[in-house]
Amino acid sequence: MRDWTKAENCFFVIMRDDAAVGFLRTHNSSPTVCWIDDIYVDAAQRGQGIASEAIRQMEKRLLTDGCRSFCMEVVPDNLPAMRLYHRLGYDRLSVITMRKDYDEFETERVEHIASLPMRVRHFD
């Protein structure tokens, strides 16, 4: 928790009806670029717009601190998260994590980026 609450990081507790239902953690990679490192909403509270509102409030707060771009990494098989972020305006692909696995894995789907076939690993 000490690393998560350093000065260059922001840690937001997501509250609903006076109870903590999740958290959102960010850090700045430059004075104007903010990274969303983690967002979590309790499983029983999901699907109610809590994460969307938490991200909107975080953006509003950090825009006043000078942030002008918000970034995050998303596991490619987490389509619900990608849909959420896209609905909130996250639509610029800027970094792709390349990975090489030596163990066998089930392919969820194949995405093509610059005509290169990229396998998305299926995670349980």
Side-chain angles (χ1 to χ4, degrees):
M1 190 64 137
R2 199 172 299 129
D3 287 342
W4 283 18
T5 56
K6 289 180 182 175
E8 65 273 13
N9 299 335
C10 289
F11 187 83
F12 301 89
V13 177
I14 303 170
M15 303 293 293
R16 186 173 208 194
D17 300 326
D18 296 322
V21 297
F23 65 88
L24 194 148
R25 185 174 64 95
T26 69
H27 81 275
N28 288 13
S29 62
S30 77
T32 61
V33 179
C34 177
W35 282 82
I36 300 172
D37 295 313
D38 295 292
I39 182 162
Y40 172 82
V41 174
D42 183 77
Q45 301 287 326
R46 293 179 189 161
Q48 301 176 37
I50 294 170
S52 296
E53 185 59 25
I55 291 170
R56 284 187 199 101
Q57 291 297 320
M58 174 274 307
E59 289 173 345
K60 183 178 176 181
R61 158 84 194 323
L62 295 179
L63 281 166
T64 65
D65 290 347
C67 282
R68 292 294 172 255
S69 297
F70 295 90
C71 306
M72 69 185 74
E73 290 186 343
V74 184
V75 178
D77 75 330
N78 193 346
L79 291 175
M82 284 192 268
R83 288 184 184 109
L84 164 67
Y85 306 141
H86 193 266
R87 278 194 310 271
L88 293 172
Y90 290 78
D91 63 358
R92 181 173 168 247
L93 186 63
S94 60
V95 176
I96 297 172
T97 300
M98 301 288 290
R99 177 174 166 159
K100 181 178 182 179
D101 289 306
Y102 283 92
D103 62 329
E104 292 297 319
F105 64 88
E106 181 182 343
T107 299
E108 177 82 19
R109 68 183 184 284
V110 175
E111 297 287 344
H112 288 82
I113 300 173
S115 74
L116 300 172
M118 300 290 178
R119 296 182 303 150
V120 177
R121 184 178 185 150
H122 175 76
F123 288 95
D124 294 324

